[in-house]
Amino acid sequence: MTSEYKTEQPERSEIDALQGPAVVEFGTNWCGVCKAAQPDIAAAFVQHPGLRHIKVEDGSGRPLGRSFGVKLWPTLVFMRDGREVAKLVRPTDSASIAEALAKIAQPA
């Protein structure tokens, strides 16, 4: 699991071209709600150690987050083969994250 939100952003076309399961997480390194969610996110990822996890710093003027309709942090977008399968906004428990991970980890 990636620990820091990256300021460098991939293009939306790069995300859409991803093969297999991936999670794109939007937030900021200074966000208290984002920090509070990290233990639950980490607990859910334990069962999926090799799953691609892209943490992107979001904010005003950041087009990737806007393209996914991100308004609150953290927002996790669960994708398979470049398509959004599930989205969680401000998750508060590891079970809901694990459920969404299971949806993308299963073979299509």
Side-chain angles (χ1 to χ4, degrees):
M1 189 182 116
T2 306
S3 60
E4 297 285 319
Y5 293 98
K6 305 293 182 201
T7 56
E8 306 84 31
Q9 295 199 349
E11 296 291 326
R12 175 65 191 252
S13 60
E14 292 175 62
I15 299 295
D16 291 343
L18 293 174
Q19 294 299 303
V23 176
V24 183
E25 179 182 342
F26 295 93
T28 66
N29 293 318
W30 52 262
C31 168
V33 178
C34 299
K35 289 178 183 179
Q38 294 311 302
D40 288 327
I41 295 169
F45 266 86
V46 167
Q47 298 300 318
H48 306 278
L51 198 136
R52 185 180 294 130
H53 182 206
I54 303 165
K55 288 181 83 163
V56 178
E57 185 175 279
D58 190 43
S60 179
R62 302 283 179 127
L64 188 60
R66 303 298 72 72
S67 75
F68 281 102
V70 173
K71 294 184 180 177
L72 298 172
W73 304 322
T75 294
L76 287 81
V77 180
F78 299 82
M79 303 185 72
R80 173 167 274 292
D81 297 328
R83 288 189 351 248
E84 184 178 320
V85 174
K87 184 187 291 185
L88 292 175
V89 178
R90 292 191 170 177
T92 58
D93 62 87
S94 61
S96 61
I97 301 165
E99 183 179 318
L101 283 169
K103 288 179 183 178
I104 63 170
Q106 297 173 356

